[in-house]
Amino acid sequence: MNVDEKMPSLHELELFDACLTLGRGVYSPVSEWITVDNVLGMMDRYHIKEALVHDLHARLIYPREKGNRDLLRRIRGIDRLHPVWVIEPDLNQKKDGAARTVEEMLESGVKAARLPMNRVPPMIWVWKELCRVLEEHAVPCFLDFGDTSTRGSLDDADVNGLREICLAHPRLPLILSHVMGGLGIHPALTHLIREVPNLYIDVTGILEYWREVARDVGPERVLFATGAPFTDPGILVSDIQYAVDFTPAEKKRMAGDNLRTLLE
């Protein structure tokens, strides 16, 4: 970043949070669960303009459909919140199951999906039909490798499986989410992001690695995300705002414009 360039304000960054979990649970200790009663206050506190939100129970508890539909009911009329459904392959192999799921999602005004790859691993023969339908509509998909919080990890088989899925569905935007574990980031991820142009990463739980992706591959591949309530939003907000390696325009892209482009 040129030292003569003005540090962008949070208002100028127009923050768009790519990962906010709504609901109450008992799985992970958090200081405050996020509900419809406090979500806008939290967003205002950190100058977050808008957010993608998914339901905690849809992410962790079956049937996922209940949490997805409850989410729509709870955030109805809150324009700053955009629903994300948690969906996975139809284990019963019902005819046209994937098509029906995606059709219902789109008709409900849901423009992004979260794919629980922590529960159903990235094996192309498992995911191919659902990914095929999602690709037809270019639905941005967050690949969730997290446990009950934002911590997650990938092994070699996961990375190879991701590569196969990305290459098989080149028009499907795929966003790595919850991939920072106790041993850090898988060392092959930067190589994979560089190789496949439809793979992105959100910054949930990541303080440094996103800079490597933005610097070595490009800031257009990084999406701002807080991971709230499992991560303090202030840490991720300041991490983007005060990063010294990037111009104000690049920060603004990562802070929200990249995600807005994917959702168009």
Side-chain angles (χ1 to χ4, degrees):
M1 177 178 174
N2 187 327
V3 294
D4 293 329
E5 292 188 85
K6 178 178 175 292
M7 177 69 69
S9 69
L10 294 179
H11 176 73
E12 291 170 330
L13 288 177
E14 296 186 298
L15 293 164
F16 193 158
D17 190 345
C19 180
L20 194 157
T21 305
L22 203 66
R24 298 179 182 275
V26 297
Y27 295 94
S28 299
V30 297
S31 58
E32 183 180 25
W33 292 101
I34 299 177
T35 68
V36 292
D37 297 320
N38 63 13
V39 62
L40 294 182
M42 184 276 290
M43 292 170 64
D44 289 342
R45 189 179 315 136
Y46 298 104
H47 299 270
I48 297 171
K49 185 174 182 179
E50 51 190 327
L52 291 182
V53 295
H54 61 271
D55 180 78
L56 178 70
H57 289 181
R59 184 167 176 247
L60 301 178
I61 300 174
Y62 291 95
R64 300 189 191 279
E65 293 81 4
K66 182 180 186 304
N68 288 333
R69 291 166 185 154
D70 285 349
L71 174 69
L72 295 179
R73 175 180 52 80
R74 291 201 299 273
I75 69 171
R76 186 178 296 121
I78 306 178
D79 294 338
R80 293 168 64 188
L81 302 181
H82 308 279
V84 176
W85 274 13
V86 182
I87 60 176
E88 63 187 19
D90 182 4
L91 300 180
N92 295 319
Q93 298 297 314
K94 295 178 182 177
K95 184 179 180 180
D96 299 328
R100 289 199 302 271
T101 297
V102 175
E103 180 181 3
E104 180 185 0
M105 183 181 78
L106 295 174
E107 289 179 349
S108 300
V110 180
K111 297 182 179 181
R114 181 163 285 268
L115 310 185
M117 299 215 163
N118 56 335
R119 305 299 175 93
V120 184
M123 299 175 178
I124 190 169
W125 55 274
V126 175
W127 285 94
K128 64 179 181 180
E129 179 59 19
L130 181 56
C131 286
R132 181 190 67 79
V133 178
L134 289 166
E135 184 180 24
E136 289 178 354
H137 302 279
V139 175
C141 295
F142 290 81
L143 311 180
D144 191 342
F145 287 90
D147 52 22
T148 55
S149 64
T150 62
R151 295 180 64 84
S153 61
L154 290 78
D155 58 25
D156 293 350
D158 292 329
V159 175
N160 284 325
L162 277 177
R163 181 178 181 275
E164 291 185 0
I165 291 173
C166 290
L167 293 175
H169 303 282
R171 294 178 300 281
L172 179 62
L174 298 169
I175 304 109
L176 293 164
S177 186
H178 302 172
V179 294
M180 172 64 82
L183 298 178
I185 297 285
H186 194 287
L189 276 187
T190 302
H191 300 283
L192 180 59
I193 296 170
R194 181 183 294 112
E195 179 180 351
V196 291
N198 57 322
L199 186 61
Y200 305 76
I201 189 167
D202 76 27
V203 304
T204 48
I206 301 172
L207 296 181
E208 291 297 330
Y209 174 74
W210 66 266
R211 302 169 194 264
E212 178 181 327
V213 174
R215 182 183 64 249
D216 296 345
V217 185
E220 69 278 3
R221 307 290 280 279
V222 175
L223 307 181
F224 166 73
T226 65
F230 305 104
T231 306
D232 181 353
I235 297 173
L236 284 307
V237 170
S238 60
D239 211 30
I240 291 282
Q241 183 184 21
Y242 290 99
V244 298
D245 301 327
F246 307 101
T247 66
E250 289 171 336
K251 293 179 185 181
K252 187 173 184 297
R253 291 179 69 179
M254 294 184 285
D257 287 351
N258 289 338
L259 179 55
R260 293 183 179 95
T261 298
L262 292 179
L263 293 171
E264 288 177 350

